[in-house]
């Protein structure tokens, strides 16, 4: 079984991006800039943002974090986004989710210029992705896609089963695999026989949020299994896939932690650089 090393893949991607930023700086005398807005003091959000900032600095991006207290008015946040939209030194804007209840998430997402939407959540980017046009792609599915391509460069005609239909993971993942000519089945909580669906798959992407849902006897030999889940349990962090069981059957599997997670941040940096490059043309 191939253990798909997300840490290594993310380090390689960061290295490539670092070279790219050096080249862009030499050619245009400016570097891509990422601005993250962090509202409130949720510990996981603070950790994510710190890691994003560290990685952005590592590859040579101009990185800025704007922090607001939980009590910040929605209007102030929207005004700041409008200001960043106009700022030529800012290539990408990310508002860390979740937001306090009084702030309308959709309004925030739709205020970010689609060309600076490094999360790929703006309806314009969602539409472009599903129409097969150039767009920012949400970072986690993009990371999954790059990991799959490392194991299997030619996905033509492969049967992919996606477990979970969230806007964040399952749906964009579907579009990425359709583009690669996979036959895609998207499953969810009302799917009648999830095990039977998974047993058909050459590729399984589990993005559910249920610890170890996908079992060893759900996976046929030669299947590539990507585990997006991050679940806190009494036994520590586990994925949506039963690692010990599935590793006995699968052709390749991502561990949790150390699989998809590290790729998510590296893909955010990639998206920022891609936004910068599109702004030049
Ligand atoms: P989400 O928005 O809660 O969506 C979960 C999806 O799973 C829904 O579509 C739901 O179906 C489906 N589902 C629930 N129970 C099911 C079942 N028994 N069988 C089949 N499908 C079922 O979750 P998410 O935001 O996509 O996150 C999923 C997991 O990924 C979480 O563990 C999260 O922490 C993790 N995550 C990891 C990263 C990373 O960087 N590695 C990034 C983001 C999220 P319905 O639509 O019918 O309700």
């Amino acid at each position: 079984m191939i253990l798909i090393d997300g840490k290594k893949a993310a380090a390689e991607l960061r290295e490539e991006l670092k070279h790219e930023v050096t080249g862009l700086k030499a050619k245009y005398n400016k570097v891509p800039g990422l601005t993250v807005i962090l509202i409130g003091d949720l510990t996981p959000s603070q950790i994510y943002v710190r890691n994003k900032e560290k990685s952005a600095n590592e590859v040579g991006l101009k990185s800025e974090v704007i922090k607001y207290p939980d009590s910040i008015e929605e209007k102030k946040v929207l005004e700041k986004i409008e200001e960043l939209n106009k700022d030529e030194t800012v290539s990408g804007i990310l508002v860390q989710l979740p937001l306090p209840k009084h702030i309308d998430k959709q309004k925030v997402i739709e205020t970010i210029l689609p060309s600076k939407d490094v999360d790929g959540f703006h309806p314009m980017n969602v539409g472009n992705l599903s129409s097969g046009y150039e767009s920012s792609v949400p970072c986690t599915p993009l990371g999954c896609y790059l990991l799959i391509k490392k194991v299997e460069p030619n996905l033509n005609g492969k049967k992919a089963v996606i477990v979970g239909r969230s806007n964040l993971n399952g749906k964009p993942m579907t579009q990425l695999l359709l583009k690669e000519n996979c036959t895609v089945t998207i499953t969810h909580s009302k799917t009648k026989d999830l095990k039977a669906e998974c047993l058909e798959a050459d590729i399984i992407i589990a993005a559910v949020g249920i610890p170890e849902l996908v079992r060893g006897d759900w996976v046929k030999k030669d299947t590539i299994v990507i585990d997006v889940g991050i679940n806190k349990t009494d036994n520590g962090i586990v994925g949506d896939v039963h690692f010990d069981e599935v590793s006995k059957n699968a052709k390749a599997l991502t561990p949790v932690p150390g699989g998809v997670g590290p790729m998510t941040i590296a893909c955010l940096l990639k998206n920022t650089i891609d936004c910068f490059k599109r702004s030049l043309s």
Side-chain angles (χ1 to χ4, degrees):
M1 206 255 332
I2 302 166
L3 184 67
I4 306 174
D5 187 343
K7 260 192 185 168
K8 185 165 168 258
E12 286 167 3
L13 178 56
R14 283 197 304 274
E15 203 48 43
E16 276 171 35
L17 297 174
K18 196 172 164 180
H19 285 298
E20 201 173 355
V21 172
T22 307
L24 289 168
K25 192 175 176 187
K27 192 164 176 193
Y28 299 102
N29 198 26
K30 51 185 179 180
V31 293
L34 172 66
T35 298
V36 176
I37 297 181
L38 173 64
I39 303 171
D41 52 9
L42 283 179
T43 308
S45 294
Q46 286 181 332
I47 295 171
Y48 288 142
V49 170
R50 212 178 304 136
N51 288 338
K52 284 168 185 171
E53 197 180 15
K54 185 170 160 267
S55 301
N57 288 329
E58 206 181 298
V59 304
L61 301 186
K62 175 181 154 292
S63 152
E64 180 191 24
V65 179
I66 298 170
K67 292 184 183 166
Y68 290 125
D70 247 328
S71 57
I72 184 89
E73 280 176 67
E74 180 186 275
K75 190 169 154 275
K76 290 255 165 62
V77 178
L78 299 180
E79 280 169 4
K80 178 48 88 178
I81 295 172
E82 298 281 12
E83 189 188 313
L84 296 170
N85 282 341
K86 291 187 199 119
D87 186 338
E88 281 185 11
T89 68
V90 175
S91 323
I93 304 166
L94 180 149
V95 180
Q96 182 66 42
L97 303 177
L99 297 173
K101 283 205 179 79
H102 67 279
I103 299 181
D104 182 339
K105 179 177 97 176
Q106 202 54 25
K107 219 188 246 179
V108 165
I109 288 172
E110 290 182 22
T111 303
I112 298 172
L113 264 185
S115 57
K116 295 193 177 192
D117 166 36
V118 279
D119 255 339
F121 295 160
H122 191 287
M124 181 91 90
N125 281 317
V126 176
N128 278 340
L129 177 64
S130 59
S131 305
Y133 301 138
E134 195 168 58
S135 66
S136 280
V137 178
C139 305
T140 303
L142 180 58
C144 295
Y145 167 80
L146 295 174
L147 290 176
I148 296 167
K149 291 282 281 185
K150 270 191 181 285
V151 181
E152 182 60 73
N154 182 5
L155 301 178
N156 230 344
K158 298 281 182 203
K159 171 131 175 102
V161 171
I162 299 174
V163 191
R165 59 176 161 183
S166 69
N167 291 337
L168 179 64
N169 290 308
K171 285 179 190 158
M173 196 69 237
T174 306
Q175 301 302 341
L176 288 170
L177 293 176
L178 273 178
K179 239 180 171 175
E180 289 288 319
N181 298 321
C182 288
T183 302
V184 184
T185 300
I186 180 154
T187 66
H188 46 77
S189 66
K190 309 292 184 292
T191 296
K192 286 224 171 85
D193 190 345
L194 191 56
K195 176 180 174 182
E197 297 293 347
C198 287
L199 276 169
E200 296 284 317
D202 302 311
I203 302 164
I204 296 173
I205 290 108
V208 194
I210 300 180
E212 301 177 328
L213 176 74
V214 177
R215 307 301 299 240
D217 60 354
W218 293 25
V219 177
K220 66 181 170 68
K221 293 268 178 222
D222 288 339
T223 301
I224 299 169
V225 182
I226 305 292
D227 190 351
V228 180
I230 302 177
N231 306 294
K232 261 191 193 163
T233 70
D234 294 343
N235 299 322
I237 302 281
V238 300
D240 291 342
V241 173
H242 196 297
F243 185 88
D244 289 344
E245 288 181 13
V246 172
S247 61
K248 294 194 176 84
N249 270 355
K251 171 181 171 182
L253 173 61
T254 56
V256 177
V260 174
M263 281 300 277
T264 297
I265 294 185
C267 286
L268 169 67
L269 311 179
K270 178 176 164 37
N271 280 351
T272 307
I273 295 167
D274 288 345
C275 284
F276 174 82
K277 288 195 293 191
R278 284 197 286 268
S279 76
L280 297 169
S281 52

